[in-house]
Amino acid sequence: MAGQSKKATKKFEKKHLKDTLEKRKDSAKIKQRHQVKAKKKARNAKDNVKASDDEAKPVRQNAEKKTQDKFNEMSVDQFFEGGFELPEPKKLKSIANSKHPASSTGKRKREFEDTNVNDSASSAGLNDEVLSEENLGSESENGGENHQEDLDALAANDPEFYKYLQENDAELLEFGAGDLAEIDQLSEDEKPQKKRKKDTVIEDDDEVVQDEEVEDTNDQIDVTTAMVAKWKSAMIEQHSLRAMRQVVLAFRAAAYVNADDGKNHKYSISSSDVYHQLLMLALEHVPSVLQHHLPVKESATGKIRIATESKKFRTLTPLLQSHSAAIVQLLENLSDAPTIKKTLNALLPLLPYLLSFKKLLRILVKSLVEIWSDTSTADPTRITAFLAIRRLTVISDASIRTALLKTMYQGLVKGSRTTNPHTLPAINLMKNSAAELWGIDREIGYTTGFVYIRQLAVHLRTSITQPTKDSYKQIYNWQYVHSLDFWSRVISTHCNPTTDTSLKTPSDSTLHPLLYPLVQITLGALRLIPTATYYPLRFQLTRSLLRLSRATATFIPLAPSLLEVFQSVEMTKPPKPSTLRPLDFSSILRVPKPYLRTRAYQDGLGEQLVELMAEFFGIWAKHIAFPELMLPPVVHLKRWLKTVSSSSGNRFLNGAKAKGSNKNSRLTSSVTLLVQKLESNARWIEERRRNVEFGPSIREGVEGFLRDTLVEDTPLGSFLEGLRRKSEEREKLLERAREAERRERTTDEQEPEMEMDDVESEEVEDDE
C-alpha cells in the first residue's frame, strides 16, 4: 500500500499532468526568449557606443578638411554668391589649442577643469566660439571709426555711387559712433543678468527703502504741515516716486499710531491737522502716482494688464505691500463712516496692482467682507465695500474668485445670525448684493453653490435620520433660513430670462441645475416640524419658493403646505381674546407661547395665508390650465369655510357644551373673497381658451397663451395688487412704530447721562 500512488495523484496525472507540463515548457520558452532579447539589446548598445566614437574622429577630420579645401575649390563667382563667408584664420585655432585666456571667467575655467579627457575636442570647439566672440567684440569697439573711414574712401574712389547714396539712403551715411553706443547700451540692458541669491524676506515693510536712504537710528521725524505740502507738490507736479515713498512711510506710521506693532517707524504724527492732511494725501494721490508710472490697461472684457515683469514694478512692490497693509490696518480701526468710505474709494484703483500678492489680498478681502457684513455699519459704507469686492471679482482669476465667493458666503451667514426688525433690511441688502457676484463667473458660481447647497442638504438629512432632542435646531434657525433664501435669490437672479437678456429660457443658465435640489431641501425643511409654533418659518420658506417659481416659470406645489395650516387648531377653533400687539411675521421664526390660540395670532395667520395663496395662484393666473389648477384648493377652502361657520360643529365635552365654530368674521370674509377671485379668474381663462385651435400636446401654443396680457389685467392680478398695497402700508406702519420705539430708547439712554452730568456739576460747585 505504501508504494502505491494516492487516488488524487492518479486523478491529477490522468487529467491535468499533460497540460501542466506543457504550460511549464511554454513559460520556460518565453522566459528564455526574453533573456536572449535583453542580452542582444545590451550588446547592441555597447557596439553603438564604440561605433559612435570611431565615426566621430573621421567626421571631425573631414569637416576640418572641407573647411580648408572649400575655398580652394571655389570659383570667384561662387565665392561672391556664397554671401561673403570667410574662413576662420589659423591663428585662432592655434590659440584655441593653447591654454584658456586669462580674460575668461572663473566659472568657465571650472567648467573646463571638470570635463573629461574624451570631451577635449568639444571643449576646444567651445574655446573657438568664445575667442571669436571676444575678437568680434574688440572689433566692434572701433566700428564707428572704420565705418567713417570706409565712407571717406568711397567718396574718393567712387563719387558717383557716393552721390547716389546721399540722394537715396542718407541715413546710411549719417550712421555714426553715437548710434552704435546706443545700440550697445540697449544690448547691455537686454542681456540676462546673473542670478542673485534671493534676499531674505523682511517682514517689516518700513525697511523697504533704498539702501543709501536707510537710517540706522531710532530717532523719529515729526511730520509737519510744511512736509506734507512739499510731498503733495512733488507728487502732483512731478509724480515723484521719492515723495510717494516718504508719504507711504508716514501713512503707515499714521495707521499704526494707536497700535503697538513692535516696529520703529521713521515718522511720527503729533498733530490732528497733520494726521488728516497726511491721510487725504496718501489716499488721494498715491494711486495717481502709481497710475502714472505703472499704467493699468483694461480690455473690453474686463481683463487687466500691468507690466508686472518690469523692473519698475519690482521696485515699487515693497511700497505697494506697505501701503496696502496700512490701509487694511486703518480699516480695522476706523469708526467714522465717511472716513471708512473715503478709504474704500481710495482702495479701488489699487486693486489691480494687488492681484500678484495672494496673501495680502486674502487679508484685504477679509477686511472688506467684515465691513460689508456688519449690519451696524451705515448702508453707503457697506455698498462701497461691496463695490470694491465686486471690482476685485471682475478683474481677478478663477482661484481668487473662488476664495472670494466663499468668504462672501461665510460673511453672509455670520452676519445673519442676529435677525430682528432693525437688522433685517441690512441682511436683505447683503443677500441681494452677494447674489449679483454669483453671475460674474457662473462656472465658479455653480461649483460653490453646489458645495454649499449640498452642505444644507447634509444638515437636513442628519436632522431627519438621526433625530435628537435638539437636532431640529440645526435647521430651524435664522442662518439656515437665510441661506436657503439667499440661494433662491441667486437662482432667481441669474435664471430669469426677463432680467438676463442672454438667456432664452431659464434652463440655459449654468446655475439652473441647482434649482431642483434647492426646492427639495426647502420643502423638506418647511415641513420638518409641522406645528403651529413654527408657522412663521413655513411662511418665510414659502416666500423663497414663490420667488423661484416666479423667476424660472417652474411649478412648485406650494398649495398643500398652505392648506395644511387651514386644518390646524389655530384656524378651526375659536380664538381666545387678547390685547397682544400684532405679530411681524417677517422677522420671527417661532411664535411666542402667549400668542398661541389668540385672536391676534389667528388674524395674522389669515392675512399671511390669503396673501401667499394669492401670490401662488397669481404666478399662473394667465396659464391655460389655471381652471384645473385652482379646483382642488378651492374645494378645500370652501369645505373649511363651511366647517368654521356652521353651528353643527358644537360638541358636548364632559357634560358641558363646547364652542365648535369659529366666528372670526374678518378671517372668513378674506378667505371667501379669495375663493371668489379664484373662481372669477378661472371663468376668465375658460372664456379665452374656447377659441384655441391647438391641443395640450402643442407646447408652443400652451406657452404662448395670453403671452402679451399683463397679470394685472386678470381678475386675480388686480386683487393681488390690492393685497400688495395693503402689505406695504402695514409695513410702513410697523416701520414708524419701530422708529418711535428707537427714539424712546435713545431718549431713555441719554437721560441718565444728563442726570450724571448735573450731579457732577453740583459737586464741583459745592467744592468751590
Side-chain angles (χ1 to χ4, degrees):
M1 296 295 293
Q4 296 180 357
S5 301
K6 292 184 179 181
K7 187 176 181 180
T9 305
K10 292 180 179 180
K11 188 175 181 180
F12 177 79
E13 291 175 354
K14 184 178 180 180
K15 294 185 177 181
H16 303 290
L17 180 60
K18 186 177 180 179
D19 296 335
T20 303
L21 293 176
E22 289 178 357
K23 289 180 180 179
R24 289 179 180 176
K25 289 179 181 179
D26 293 337
S27 61
K29 289 180 180 178
I30 293 171
K31 186 176 180 181
Q32 185 179 6
R33 198 180 303 128
H34 285 300
Q35 291 176 353
V36 171
K37 192 181 293 185
K39 289 180 180 179
K40 284 184 179 180
K41 190 175 181 180
R43 186 167 57 251
N44 292 335
K46 190 175 182 180
D47 294 338
N48 291 335
V49 172
K50 292 181 178 179
S52 62
D53 292 336
D54 295 335
E55 292 174 2
K57 294 179 180 179
V59 168
R60 286 194 295 270
Q61 293 174 0
N62 292 334
E64 294 174 359
K65 186 176 181 180
K66 284 181 181 180
T67 54
Q68 293 174 0
D69 299 336
K70 181 169 60 174
F71 296 96
N72 297 330
E73 298 173 357
M74 189 180 298
S75 63
V76 177
D77 295 334
Q78 291 175 349
F79 176 82
F80 283 104
E81 289 175 0
F84 298 96
E85 183 179 357
L86 299 177
E88 294 180 1
K90 292 183 178 180
K91 62 178 182 179
L92 288 177
K93 186 174 181 181
S94 61
I95 295 174
N97 292 330
S98 63
K99 291 184 179 180
H100 188 69
S103 61
S104 60
T105 59
K107 183 177 180 181
R108 183 76 68 183
K109 285 184 178 181
R110 286 196 298 272
E111 290 177 358
F112 286 124
E113 290 172 1
D114 293 339
T115 54
N116 297 326
V117 178
N118 295 330
D119 297 330
S120 60
S122 61
S123 63
L126 185 62
N127 286 334
D128 291 342
E129 295 177 1
V130 173
L131 289 172
S132 62
E133 289 177 0
E134 291 178 354
N135 189 22
L136 292 174
S138 61
E139 291 177 357
S140 65
E141 293 177 359
N142 299 325
E145 299 177 359
N146 296 335
H147 183 69
Q148 188 61 36
E149 292 176 0
D150 294 340
L151 290 177
D152 295 339
L154 180 64
N157 298 331
D158 195 352
E160 294 181 0
F161 183 64
Y162 187 79
K163 183 178 180 181
Y164 173 79
L165 290 177
Q166 286 180 334
E167 295 175 355
N168 296 278
D169 198 357
E171 293 181 0
L172 180 63
L173 301 177
E174 296 174 358
F175 190 78
D179 299 319
L180 287 174
E182 292 179 2
I183 294 175
D184 292 340
Q185 182 64 31
L186 290 174
S187 62
E188 289 178 3
D189 295 339
E190 292 176 358
K191 288 181 182 178
Q193 297 179 356
K194 295 181 180 179
K195 293 184 179 180
R196 296 179 300 176
K197 294 183 179 179
K198 293 184 178 180
D199 298 330
T200 56
V201 178
I202 303 176
E203 296 182 355
D204 186 4
D205 290 330
D206 291 337
E207 296 180 4
V208 184
V209 292
Q210 301 293 336
D211 294 338
E212 67 270 14
E213 294 176 351
V214 175
E215 298 180 2
D216 191 10
T217 178
N218 294 326
D219 296 337
Q220 291 184 337
I221 302 173
D222 192 12
V223 181
T224 61
T225 306
M227 294 171 64
V228 175
K230 180 181 177 182
W231 294 338
K232 183 176 181 180
S233 176
M235 292 174 67
I236 294 176
E237 297 175 359
Q238 305 172 6
H239 300 284
S240 172
L241 290 177
R242 184 181 297 274
M244 188 189 76
R245 188 184 70 81
Q246 303 297 333
V247 170
V248 169
L249 293 178
F251 177 71
R252 183 171 177 84
Y256 287 90
V257 67
N258 293 325
D260 186 11
D261 57 345
K263 300 174 183 177
N264 295 325
H265 298 285
K266 182 178 180 180
Y267 295 100
S268 63
I269 296 92
S270 57
S271 173
S272 59
D273 293 337
V274 174
Y275 182 86
H276 176 73
Q277 294 176 11
L278 180 61
L279 256 62
M280 293 299 103
L281 175 61
L283 296 177
E284 292 177 358
H285 297 288
V286 168
S288 61
V289 175
L290 287 173
Q291 178 65 24
H292 176 77
H293 291 280
L294 288 172
V296 178
K297 298 179 181 179
E298 184 173 0
S299 62
T301 58
K303 293 184 178 180
I304 296 297
R305 293 181 181 178
I306 302 177
T308 55
E309 301 298 329
S310 63
K311 181 179 179 182
K312 187 172 288 187
F313 183 84
R314 292 194 297 269
T315 304
L316 294 177
T317 292
L319 291 179
L320 279 170
Q321 293 177 335
S322 178
H323 188 59
S324 303
I327 289 178
V328 172
Q329 175 67 20
L330 194 65
L331 289 174
E332 293 176 354
N333 293 277
L334 286 176
S335 58
D336 184 34
T339 309
I340 296 176
K341 186 178 179 181
K342 180 74 174 178
T343 307
L344 293 172
N345 287 327
L347 187 61
L348 284 173
L350 295 177
L351 294 178
Y353 301 101
L354 304 180
L355 295 178
S356 304
F357 315 125
K358 299 294 179 67
K359 185 176 180 181
L360 180 61
L361 207 59
R362 195 182 308 118
I363 300 172
L364 178 61
V365 168
K366 185 178 179 181
S367 299
L368 292 175
V369 171
E370 286 180 356
I371 296 173
W372 168 78
S373 61
D374 187 4
T375 55
S376 61
T377 308
D379 287 347
T381 305
R382 298 173 65 221
I383 292 173
T384 307
F386 169 74
L387 292 177
I389 296 172
R390 188 185 184 282
R391 171 67 174 166
L392 192 57
T393 308
V394 171
I395 65 177
S396 60
D397 56 7
S399 61
I400 298 177
R401 285 177 180 173
T402 303
L404 198 147
L405 291 180
K406 290 181 179 180
T407 308
M408 287 283 287
Y409 182 73
Q410 293 169 1
L412 172 65
V413 174
K414 182 180 178 181
S416 61
R417 182 188 299 272
T418 303
T419 303
N420 52 52
H422 307 291
T423 61
L424 188 60
I427 295 173
N428 289 332
L429 175 64
M430 271 196 295
K431 290 188 287 188
N432 291 328
S433 58
E436 182 185 350
L437 296 184
W438 261 259
I440 294 176
D441 191 339
R442 297 189 180 181
E443 296 292 337
I444 297 176
Y446 171 80
T447 305
T448 55
F450 178 84
V451 170
Y452 288 118
I453 291 175
R454 182 180 179 276
Q455 190 180 65
L456 296 174
V458 169
H459 286 305
L460 179 61
R461 184 185 63 184
T462 304
S463 180
I464 295 174
T465 58
Q466 301 175 6
T468 59
K469 184 178 180 181
D470 296 331
S471 61
Y472 73 95
K473 293 182 179 179
Q474 293 183 353
I475 310 301
Y476 279 22
N477 58 73
W478 273 115
Q479 290 176 310
Y480 195 91
V481 172
H482 282 307
S483 297
L484 290 175
D485 186 66
F486 167 71
W487 291 116
S488 75
R489 292 172 191 257
V490 171
I491 297 175
S492 301
T493 304
H494 303 295
C495 298
N496 191 352
T498 58
T499 57
D500 192 347
T501 56
S502 63
L503 302 176
K504 293 182 179 179
T505 60
S507 59
D508 293 340
S509 175
T510 310
L511 299 174
H512 189 266
L514 299 175
L515 175 62
Y516 179 77
L518 180 64
V519 171
Q520 294 299 318
I521 295 169
T522 308
L523 289 175
L526 184 141
R527 301 191 62 184
L528 182 62
I529 302 179
T531 60
T533 306
Y534 290 100
Y535 282 160
L537 183 143
R538 177 176 296 206
F539 297 154
Q540 295 277 356
L541 298 180
T542 301
R543 293 184 186 278
S544 300
L545 293 176
L546 284 172
R547 184 187 300 109
L548 281 173
S549 180
R550 186 182 303 108
T552 61
T554 304
F555 178 77
I556 302 174
L558 296 176
S561 63
L562 296 175
L563 294 175
E564 186 179 348
V565 180
F566 279 101
Q567 299 302 317
S568 65
V569 179
E570 297 291 335
M571 298 295 291
T572 56
K573 297 297 181 181
K576 297 182 294 185
S578 66
T579 57
L580 297 173
R581 291 188 302 177
L583 283 172
D584 183 8
F585 282 84
S586 63
S587 59
I588 60 171
L589 298 179
R590 185 176 180 274
V591 177
K593 285 186 177 180
Y595 277 89
L596 295 176
R597 301 290 304 276
T598 61
R599 179 67 177 266
Y601 187 38
Q602 191 180 79
D603 290 342
L605 286 177
E607 291 176 356
Q608 293 293 316
L609 287 171
V610 170
E611 183 180 349
L612 292 174
M613 290 287 286
E615 290 282 355
F616 170 69
F617 286 107
I619 298 173
W620 312 104
K622 300 190 302 178
H623 201 273
I624 196 171
F626 182 82
E628 290 75 21
L629 177 64
M630 52 76 62
L631 185 59
V634 166
V635 172
H636 195 101
L637 291 175
K638 286 183 176 180
R639 190 178 301 162
W640 177 81
L641 287 170
K642 185 177 180 180
T643 302
V644 297
S645 60
S646 65
S647 58
S648 59
N650 295 339
R651 296 289 183 270
F652 286 93
L653 194 60
N654 296 330
K657 189 176 181 179
K659 297 179 181 180
S661 60
N662 186 359
K663 297 297 183 180
N664 191 343
S665 58
R666 180 181 176 184
L667 174 62
T668 55
S669 61
S670 60
V671 176
T672 303
L673 182 60
L674 173 64
V675 172
Q676 292 175 357
K677 294 298 181 181
L678 292 176
E679 292 177 341
S680 176
N681 198 85
R683 290 192 297 270
W684 186 79
I685 293 292
E686 289 174 350
E687 290 176 359
R688 279 152 183 79
R689 75 179 184 181
R690 284 195 187 103
N691 301 324
V692 168
E693 298 178 354
F694 54 84
S697 61
I698 309 300
R699 296 290 299 174
E700 295 180 358
V702 171
E703 294 175 356
F705 181 73
L706 297 179
R707 178 176 293 173
D708 299 332
T709 305
L710 298 176
V711 177
E712 292 78 8
D713 296 336
T714 62
L716 183 60
S718 58
F719 171 68
L720 183 58
E721 283 295 315
L723 290 178
R724 288 173 179 170
R725 285 195 295 269
K726 289 182 180 178
S727 178
E728 291 175 359
E729 292 175 359
R730 184 168 59 250
E731 185 64 30
K732 289 180 181 179
L733 291 174
L734 290 174
E735 185 63 30
R736 291 173 188 169
R738 295 190 202 108
E739 287 291 335
E741 185 179 352
R742 197 179 298 117
R743 287 195 217 97
E744 291 178 359
R745 191 184 304 113
T746 305
T747 305
D748 294 340
E749 291 176 356
Q750 290 177 354
E751 286 180 356
E753 295 179 0
M754 295 175 62
E755 292 177 358
M756 290 296 296
D757 293 340
D758 294 340
V759 171
E760 290 177 358
S761 60
E762 290 178 358
E763 291 178 355
V764 170
E765 291 177 357
D766 294 340
D767 293 338
E768 291 177 354

